[in-house]
Amino acid sequence: MELAYYSDYAVRLVNSEEPARGKDSLTSVEAVRDLFGGNQQAARRATDADLTRFRSVRARLRSVFEAADKGEEALAVDLLNSLLLDFPVSPQISGHDFRDDDGRPLWHMHLADHPSNATAGYAAIAAMGLAFHLTEYGVDRLGLCEAPPCRNAYLDTSTNRSRRYCSDRCATRANVAAYRARKRLEAERPESTGRSAETAQRTSSSGER
């Protein structure tokens, strides 16, 4: 499993809540298990007690993205380091499920967690994945969607560091809103200009008298 994959754990958990919209999909054990994706062995460890713990980790992960989004680089790193200390993992070389044409293992790095509960396992993977992404690409590659009221988290993997939205849907919505705003401004400008010209003409006429 590629290390870059693990960073998606952080994004999935953060985006299970949309504070500005008052939405929270993390309301059941099934929702917690869904966050694990294909890692069903780990998902089966989830219990009702993990709901509160997952929400706590989610708040801490969102704080990392918020700090990065504000350009507070040192704070983002400190917050992430705190998560890494609280939820450690053991990097291991693994060859499971991946074989070359000759049937030999394709060795790769794997994050082995030894959790006391489902939250600890998920948090460890999410924090380490986010740490790899941050150190590889930079703090400014952690962002929050600029399309209000979304504010979902995303990881910028664009070549020119240009990503500003969490999805194509939000990008389209923002572009449409910007287009409509420009059109309103253009429509108001001739009317305003006309009034200014009329006022100036009246002032000039009064002065001639």
Side-chain angles (χ1 to χ4, degrees), residues 10-191:
V11 173
R12 286 204 299 271
L13 179 53
V14 170
N15 292 347
S16 66
E17 180 186 30
E18 297 180 70
R21 291 190 172 110
K23 293 182 179 181
D24 187 350
S25 64
L26 202 58
T27 57
S28 66
V29 177
E30 288 71 25
V32 169
R33 290 171 179 160
D34 287 343
L35 289 171
F36 284 89
N39 191 354
Q40 289 305 301
Q41 182 177 352
R44 283 193 289 270
R45 291 196 296 258
T47 67
D48 288 333
D50 285 298
L51 271 173
T52 301
R53 292 192 289 252
F54 258 73
R55 289 179 184 136
S56 176
V57 171
R58 180 177 64 187
R60 295 176 67 181
L61 285 169
R62 176 169 282 277
S63 295
V64 175
F65 279 92
E66 288 175 343
D69 188 64
K70 295 175 183 177
E72 298 175 350
E73 186 169 337
L75 177 59
V77 170
D78 287 344
L79 291 170
L80 189 49
N81 274 334
S82 177
L83 280 162
L84 291 170
L85 286 171
D86 289 344
F87 303 103
V89 294
S90 303
Q92 294 179 353
I93 299 173
S94 175
H96 66 81
D97 298 332
F98 296 93
R99 302 281 172 172
D100 62 17
D101 294 337
D102 297 323
R104 294 177 302 183
L106 292 175
W107 302 111
H108 58 279
M109 290 300 297
H110 177 80
L111 299 183
D113 59 283
H114 310 285
S116 56
N117 54 66
T119 304
Y122 193 100
I125 291 173
M128 183 61 76
L130 201 56
F132 277 117
H133 191 93
L134 185 151
T135 53
E136 178 71 18
Y137 299 106
V139 176
D140 59 340
R141 293 300 189 119
L142 278 59
L144 292 173
C145 187
E146 292 185 12
C150 181
R151 303 302 283 168
N152 271 350
Y154 65 83
L155 299 172
D156 186 1
T157 56
S158 63
T159 56
N160 57 355
R161 300 173 182 264
S162 60
R163 186 169 178 178
R164 295 162 52 201
Y165 307 104
C166 68
S167 64
D168 291 339
R169 179 182 178 183
C170 277
T172 299
R173 191 171 73 246
N175 289 334
V176 169
Y179 173 79
R180 289 174 177 170
R182 288 196 302 271
K183 285 299 182 181
R184 283 196 299 271
L185 185 61
E186 290 171 3
E188 293 168 359
R189 190 174 295 132
E191 182 181 348

